[in-house]
Amino acid sequence: MQKLTNKEEEVMHILWKLEKAFVKDVLAEAPEDKPHYNTNSTIIRNLDEKGYVGHTAYGNTHQYYPIVSKEDYRTNFVSNTLENYFNNSYKSMVSFFAKEEKISADELREILDMIEKNKE
């Protein structure tokens, strides 16, 4: 799975939310810093070429839809992050978030409870 740019990820989040959309629909959902229509269209066509989205043609216009699910993308993203930044160690990743105060002791206890329940 090819890595996406920040703008491509932004468009994918919109497409995952809308499920099917024309370029104008994606543009309407874009945050305040909206790209120009043609720029948005280029981003979506690039996602189509990369295999992240498909399209249905209606004359000269296209309706786009995600081919890669949000869950599949997330799994790939987390796996790559874990490999590239934490030496494939979940312990290192969790300790990073604890040191950065991004996860609390209560949240860690909840995670431990989930792990214990899954073992049963």
Side-chain angles (χ1 to χ4, degrees):
M1 199 176 287
Q2 257 183 301
K3 186 172 178 1
L4 298 180
T5 67
N6 290 340
K7 288 293 183 189
E8 288 171 336
E9 278 189 16
E10 193 175 285
V11 169
M12 284 304 300
H13 282 285
I14 294 168
L15 286 171
W16 286 320
K17 177 184 172 188
L18 298 177
E19 297 179 1
K20 290 183 179 178
F22 295 96
V23 173
K24 66 181 176 68
D25 301 325
V26 173
L27 195 56
E29 289 288 321
E32 291 179 26
D33 184 17
K34 296 180 189 293
H36 186 272
Y37 181 94
N38 291 340
T39 303
N40 209 38
S41 179
T42 299
I43 291 168
I44 295 171
R45 282 195 317 273
N46 288 343
L47 287 166
D48 194 356
E49 288 174 15
K50 289 181 177 182
Y52 280 87
V53 302
H55 68 272
T56 304
Y58 297 98
N60 289 336
T61 189
H62 294 82
Q63 185 179 42
Y64 295 93
Y65 52 89
I67 292 175
V68 174
S69 71
K70 189 174 187 176
E71 294 76 24
D72 287 345
Y73 184 75
R74 178 179 43 217
T75 298
N76 186 269
F77 178 81
V78 171
S79 295
N80 286 337
T81 301
L82 188 66
E83 181 180 333
N84 294 328
Y85 296 99
F86 300 103
N87 295 324
N88 282 326
S89 168
Y90 286 98
K91 180 181 172 183
S92 293
M93 186 166 73
V94 172
S95 67
F96 167 80
F97 289 116
K99 287 176 191 169
E100 295 291 316
E101 298 179 7
K102 303 290 184 193
I103 191 168
S104 69
D106 287 340
E107 290 171 320
L108 286 171
R109 284 186 201 91
E110 286 179 38
I111 292 169
L112 288 171
D113 287 344
M114 288 170 40
I115 291 169
E116 291 300 322
K117 286 178 185 173
N118 283 337
K119 284 184 178 178
E120 295 172 356

